[in-house]
Amino acid sequence: MNELDSLVASAQQQFAQAATPAELENAKAQFLGKSGRVTELMKGMAQLSVEEKKSRGAAINVAKQAIEAALTARRQALADAELQAQLKAEALDVSLPGRQRGQGGLHPVSLTLERIERIFGSMGFDVAQGPEIESDWFNFTALNTPEDHPARSMHDTFYVEGGTPEAPNLLRTHTSPMQVRFAVQHVKKYRALLDAGQAMPEIRVIAPGRTYRVDSDATHSPMFHQCEGLWIGENVSFKDLKVVFTDFCKTFFEQDDLVLRFRPSFFPFTEPSAEIDIQFQTGPLAGRWLEVAGSGQVHPNVVRNMGLDPEKYIGFAFGMGPDRLTMLRYGVNDLRLFFDGDIRFLSQFRS
Ligand code: PHE
C-alpha cells in the first residue's frame, strides 16, 4: 500500500472511530484542516517540477476526495444514528391501550332502592323522603313507643348534642317516623274533604332512606338503609299486606316460587305485628328462612297521631332492609363491603 492509500485508510479508520459529530470534526482537522496531513502534502509539492506536480497533485486530489467522501458518509451515519436514537426515545407505542375514563355506575344499594321504588310505584305507591335527624316525637312517641322501651336506650340510639325531645335530637333508628310525618301531611292536604265528611284518597307510600343505630359487625352497620311502607284507607286489611308484600318479593327476586312466612312478632306501633321471612326454593340459600321485614296493622294510637279516626281508618305498615335485600339478591355475605367504597367490589354491580 502506498503512502496516499494508507493515509486514506487511516482517515477512514479514525472517522469510523468517531462516536459523535464533535469527535468527527476533530478527526477531520487532522487530515483536511489548515495544518492537516493532506494540506501538508500539498505544501510539500513546492519543490517539484511542473510534470511531477501534475501527477503528484492529481494523486493527492484523489486521496483528498476519498477522505472527503469518507467524512461525508460518516457525518451522515452519525446524523442518522442520532435521529434514530431520538425517534426511539420519543417513540409512541400506538398499540398501547388508550387511557379511558372509568365508567361510573350506581351503588348496589342504590340499584336496590330504585328497584323497590319501581315495583311499589307500579302498585300505586308514592315515594317520600324525610329527615335523618329526627325528633323523639316522630321516632318514638308518635309511634306508640313508651318511655321505657329498650329501643330508646342510649345503647341503640345516636343522640344529637344540644337537641331536645321536641326539636330534632336523634338520628332516626328506623324509617317508621315517616309513617306519621307523611300521614300528617296527607291529612292536612285533604282536610277540607275530611271536614266535609267525604272520603280521603288512600295513603299509599314508601319511604326509603338512611337509618342509624349503635351497632357494627358483618351484618350490622351503624348506618344502614330501610324502606318503610304504609297503606291506610277505610278498608285495608292484613290480607292486602300479604298480597302486596308477596308480590313485591317475587318481583324483586324474580322468583315466582318464593315462599313467604308472616311470623307473629311485636312492635309498639303495629297490632298485630309480624316479621316477614322469605324462603328461596332454588339457589345457594334454598330452604332457609330469611328475615326481610317487620310489619303489622298500624296501631290505633298511631292512626290517631296521624290525625285520623282509628274507627274509620285502618291499614298496614312494613319496614324492610334494602341492604339485606341487596346481599340476598347478589349473594354478598358481608354488609361492610357496601360501605367500604372499594371500586373493585362496587364495579361488579351494573344492574
Ligand atoms: N321499624 C321497624 C324496625 O325497624 C320495622 C317495622 C316497620 C315494623 C313498620 C312494623 C311496621 O324494626
Side-chain angles (χ1 to χ4, degrees):
M1 194 186 284
N2 70 31
E3 181 207 5
L4 289 176
D5 287 342
S6 62
L7 183 66
V8 171
S10 146
Q12 283 169 338
Q13 196 197 345
Q14 290 208 35
F15 293 167
Q17 277 168 2
T20 65
E23 279 176 38
L24 182 61
E25 293 318 306
N26 283 340
K28 172 202 159 183
Q30 283 179 43
F31 295 93
L32 302 171
K34 263 187 198 148
S35 49
R37 308 222 343 234
V38 175
T39 319
E40 291 302 320
L41 287 175
M42 298 280 205
K43 285 180 189 160
M45 291 198 305
Q47 301 87 356
L48 298 180
S49 68
V50 175
E51 276 310 303
E52 283 171 329
K53 271 184 182 157
K54 251 190 185 170
S55 63
R56 178 73 176 159
I60 293 175
N61 258 336
V62 168
K64 190 184 174 193
Q65 277 164 16
I67 293 170
E68 281 171 347
L71 176 70
T72 306
R74 186 61 187 155
R75 271 193 187 135
Q76 191 60 49
L78 284 178
D80 285 352
E82 191 176 272
L83 182 64
Q84 286 308 319
Q86 193 182 349
L87 286 176
K88 207 173 153 193
E90 295 168 6
L92 200 65
D93 185 349
V94 292
S95 71
L96 278 177
R99 254 175 250 162
Q100 290 174 339
R101 247 179 222 216
Q103 206 195 342
L106 287 181
H107 189 280
V109 174
S110 299
L111 291 170
T112 293
L113 292 174
E114 277 198 346
R115 207 169 157 75
I116 292 172
E117 289 173 20
R118 214 178 314 124
I119 297 169
F120 278 102
S122 77
M123 294 192 262
F125 281 73
D126 289 326
V127 179
Q129 298 221 322
E132 292 169 25
I133 303 178
E134 196 38 288
S135 68
D136 215 83
W137 164 258
F138 283 115
N139 198 78
F140 293 122
T141 316
L143 293 170
N144 196 40
T145 307
E147 284 293 339
D148 55 359
H149 193 276
R152 284 177 174 244
S153 79
M154 292 291 289
H155 186 76
D156 293 322
T157 310
F158 287 109
Y159 285 92
V160 176
E161 261 177 39
T164 63
E166 291 73 37
N169 68 330
L170 50 82
L171 298 184
R172 65 178 179 187
T173 55
H174 51 178
T175 45
S176 297
M178 281 305 290
Q179 290 183 28
V180 177
R181 272 190 182 276
F182 185 85
V184 164
Q185 289 295 315
H186 186 90
V187 168
K188 207 164 146 189
K189 198 162 147 193
Y190 297 105
R191 188 80 263 164
L193 276 182
L194 288 163
D195 286 348
Q198 285 177 314
M200 158 195 92
E202 288 185 340
I203 295 171
R204 216 182 294 168
V205 67
I206 58 164
R210 290 190 198 97
T211 46
Y212 303 83
R213 283 184 208 176
V214 185
D215 215 351
S216 187
D217 59 39
T219 51
H220 295 91
S221 148
M223 187 286 296
F224 57 104
H225 294 85
Q226 276 200 348
C227 181
E228 198 75 6
L230 179 69
W231 187 350
I232 300 274
E234 290 185 24
N235 204 9
V236 183
S237 74
F238 214 95
K239 177 196 72 188
D240 296 306
L241 165 63
K242 282 193 153 185
V243 170
V244 163
F245 210 82
T246 302
D247 210 36
F248 164 73
C249 288
K250 289 184 174 181
T251 311
F252 182 87
F253 288 107
E254 297 170 278
Q255 298 194 20
D256 266 342
D257 55 1
L258 196 79
V259 179
L260 276 80
R261 175 171 82 175
F262 289 75
R263 180 164 41 84
S265 184
F266 172 81
F267 297 103
F269 36 93
T270 46
E271 181 61 36
S273 304
E275 307 260 6
I276 308 176
D277 301 335
I278 61 168
Q279 190 189 68
F280 296 110
Q281 303 309 302
T282 52
L285 295 169
R288 278 171 54 187
W289 285 111
L290 309 156
E291 189 186 314
V292 291
S295 67
Q297 185 169 302
V298 179
H299 194 287
N301 287 348
V302 178
V303 175
R304 213 168 282 121
N305 288 332
M306 291 171 174
L308 294 167
D309 177 3
E311 294 299 326
K312 198 167 175 202
Y313 289 95
I314 191 167
F316 63 78
F318 57 82
M320 58 183 160
D323 305 329
R324 190 87 208 284
L325 294 182
T326 311
M327 290 171 80
L328 293 175
R329 178 152 191 255
Y330 295 109
V332 174
N333 52 21
D334 193 330
L335 177 68
R336 291 168 293 200
L337 285 167
F338 289 141
F339 309 123
D340 281 349
D342 188 332
I343 203 77
R344 291 168 302 179
F345 172 75
L346 296 175
S347 62
Q348 294 176 49
F349 303 88
R350 285 277 181 257
S351 63

